[in-house]
Every structure is written in C-alpha cells, then in structure tokens.
C-alpha cells in the first residue's frame, strides 16, 4: 500500500481507494470473527451462530456436517452459508 502512495500513475487514486476498502473490509471481518468467538465463549449470550461455534469447538476431531450446523443455527442451508461466508 505504501507503494501506491509513492506512485504517480494515472490510476493512483483509484488503486488507493481499492486498497483502503480492502483493508477496512479485512479489519471488519476480523473484528466480527473475534466478537462471535467472544460471545461463544461467554455462554451468557446464546445466539444460533455462537451455538454453532461451540459445537465446532467441542467436536474438532469429528468431520463437520453442514446439515447439523444448519440445524443448530436454525437456518436453511443457503442462509447459513451466506452468513458463515461473512464471518
């Protein structure tokens, strides 16, 4: 990213904007992931996705079955995959 600020190309502003958007997206994704893990470990705030995280952590040696995870989250397969892809 530092290279973009020192560059003098025609698309410099556009590339800087893209790099900043990517950085913000990655930071928000990481913060969301940490928040979900915190909630899953607190045990006092049971949301469907935190129950899924707890299930995964308790069954690390077992193969994951997406249908079981969807059932735990009380979500359809498509909704679960949409939400989990953002986490």
């Amino acid at each position: 990213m530092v290279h973009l600020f020192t560059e003098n190309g025609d698309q410099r502003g556009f590339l800087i904007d893209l790099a900043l958007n990517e950085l913000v997206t990655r930071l928000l994704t990481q913060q969301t992931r940490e928040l979900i893990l915190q909630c899953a470990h607190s045990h006092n705030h049971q949301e469907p996705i935190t129950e899924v995280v707890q299930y995964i952590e308790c069954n690390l040696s077992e193969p994951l079955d997406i249908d079981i995870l969807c059932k735990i989250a009380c979500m359809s397969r498509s909704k679960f995959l949409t939400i989990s892809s953002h986490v």
Side-chain angles (χ1 to χ4, degrees), residues 1 5 8 12-13 16-17 20 23 30 40 57 63 66 69-70 75 78 82 84-85:
M1 195 150 134
F5 282 98
N8 287 328
R12 178 178 175 247
I16 289 172
D17 189 45
L20 288 174
L23 179 61
Q30 182 62 33
E57 288 179 338
I66 189 70
L69 299 179
C70 292
M75 295 180 191
S78 61
T82 301
S84 63
S85 69

Side-chain angles (χ1 to χ4, degrees), residues 43-63:
H43 298 292
N44 60 359
H45 186 54
Q46 290 300 103
E47 293 292 327
I49 202 72
T50 60
E51 290 183 32
V52 170
V53 171
Q54 288 174 349
Y55 174 83
I56 292 170
E57 288 179 338
C58 291
N59 297 285
L60 286 174
S61 61
E62 302 294 322

